[in-house]
Amino acid sequence: MDSGLLAPPFEAAALAAANASTLKSSLLKQVDGQEAEPMAQKVRFANETLLPLFNELECRNPTPDLNQQIPLLKGIWLPVWSTIPFQDIIPGRVHHESYQIFDDKGFYANLARYKPGRKTPILSWVSRWLLSYDFMIMQSYEIQTLTEADHPSAPGQLGQDYWEIQNVCIRQILRFGSPSFSAEAAQTWFNQTVANYQKHPAPQPQTAVTAPGKNRVTTKQYEQISQARPRLDHLYIDQDFRLVKTQREKSQRPSYTVALRLPAQSLPN
């Protein structure tokens, strides 16, 4: 463990004595290299080890006002670690080619590239390197004020602001060729999807993309995701770091995501 960083078990006194920078760096150190671990292992790690760190960061959130969070959101974020279940319902996600993109029109998306068979060496070279499957779930976001105590996506006190999240569409593309799924490519695809949706806002039916094996989102999975009303809370957000708690349905376990803003020098001109 690097000097000055906190190590588990995270004791309350040590957490309280640390500054916010140390807390963020300690969390990044803990999740470094862990994104590819099995989902069940990551969930246990979050619940059994990281939860005290999450709670302390929530207490230190410099931007609890949702209206002040909006200008911080715009841009491309790299989810360096996440327990969101839908991201890994398809095998072979390329973690360094996964993005969250927010615009200032009230839309955002999770985008990722998948390489069918990339973890199965016996599959053909063509399948692993020349076939790519790109997946996007686009959502709308806006701030609402709780008016019903049993609102499915925002349990809490009446009058409390919350993020109203609506699933807009899912897009799946099977690509041939080996160019990387760069931030620029992800941004372009997102912009095109937003523009198309604004021209034709009525939801369009989507079926599964034909791909080898199980490397696709099935029609049933698509329907389940589309019908959900997810809840989103920023436990901590500043200009370059986000700790997000999400819940797709009231009955579903909470998920956590640690995301870093894509450095300015990495953005396309």
Side-chain angles (χ1 to χ4, degrees):
M1 179 63 62
D2 294 353
S3 176
L5 298 186
L6 303 180
F10 295 108
E11 303 293 345
L15 292 170
N19 59 35
S21 178
T22 297
L23 295 173
K24 291 189 293 181
S25 296
S26 298
L27 177 55
L28 291 172
K29 181 67 176 180
Q30 288 298 309
V31 301
D32 183 36
Q34 303 299 313
E35 175 62 350
E37 295 296 331
M39 183 58 66
Q41 181 174 322
K42 290 196 292 183
V43 170
R44 286 196 302 271
F45 188 45
N47 293 335
E48 298 175 5
T49 302
L50 299 180
L51 200 56
L53 194 48
F54 293 162
N55 293 337
E56 187 64 31
L57 279 166
E58 183 178 13
C59 293
R60 309 290 190 91
N61 188 3
T63 323
D65 187 317
L66 271 58
N67 290 283
Q68 295 179 1
Q69 293 178 11
I70 292 177
L72 296 176
L73 286 172
K74 183 181 178 182
I76 304 178
W77 295 81
L78 304 176
V80 297
W81 184 86
S82 180
T83 61
I84 295 178
F86 86 82
Q87 288 190 341
D88 291 319
I89 60 176
I90 313 165
R93 180 162 65 94
V94 183
H95 300 288
H96 65 276
E97 295 181 354
S98 301
Y99 308 96
Q100 293 179 333
I101 304 180
F102 290 79
D103 69 9
D104 54 7
K105 302 173 184 177
F107 295 99
Y108 81 99
N110 286 280
L111 310 92
R113 165 154 293 184
Y114 297 80
K115 283 287 191 178
R118 67 192 295 260
K119 293 185 178 181
T120 310
I122 62 173
L123 293 183
S124 72
W125 182 88
V126 172
S127 174
R128 287 179 313 189
W129 299 110
L130 297 185
L131 184 65
S132 299
Y133 169 81
D134 294 343
F135 172 77
M136 178 200 320
I137 176 169
M138 191 174 83
Q139 298 167 307
S140 63
Y141 70 96
E142 63 178 340
I143 298 171
Q144 296 285 0
T145 300
L146 189 64
T147 57
E148 299 180 17
D150 60 348
H151 191 289
S153 64
Q157 300 297 319
L158 291 177
Q160 177 181 334
D161 287 344
Y162 69 95
W163 288 111
E164 174 70 17
I165 307 297
Q166 296 286 340
N167 290 325
V168 171
C169 64
I170 287 177
R171 293 292 178 262
Q172 308 173 73
I173 298 179
L174 195 62
R175 303 185 192 272
F176 294 91
S178 57
S180 65
F181 187 46
S182 65
E184 180 178 14
Q187 181 76 70
T188 298
W189 190 25
F190 171 69
N191 292 345
Q192 291 172 344
T193 303
V194 170
N196 291 339
Y197 176 78
Q198 290 178 317
K199 291 179 182 178
H200 308 286
Q204 299 295 320
Q206 169 126 355
T207 57
V209 168
T210 301
K214 298 181 179 180
N215 293 283
R216 62 186 183 275
V217 173
T218 66
T219 302
K220 182 177 180 180
Q221 289 170 327
Y222 170 77
E223 291 173 350
Q224 290 174 340
I225 295 172
S226 299
Q227 293 170 4
R229 295 187 63 189
R231 178 186 177 185
L232 180 151
D233 293 301
H234 284 103
L235 302 184
Y236 189 103
I237 178 172
D238 59 26
Q239 183 64 37
D240 301 303
F241 177 96
R242 295 167 56 234
L243 173 60
V244 189
K245 179 181 179 181
T246 53
Q247 199 165 0
R248 200 175 77 190
E249 300 169 351
K250 287 182 66 175
S251 59
Q252 187 188 44
R253 63 165 175 80
S255 299
Y256 300 94
T257 299
V258 180
L260 298 176
R261 183 181 297 281
L262 188 72
Q265 60 268 26
S266 298
L267 291 172
N269 294 324

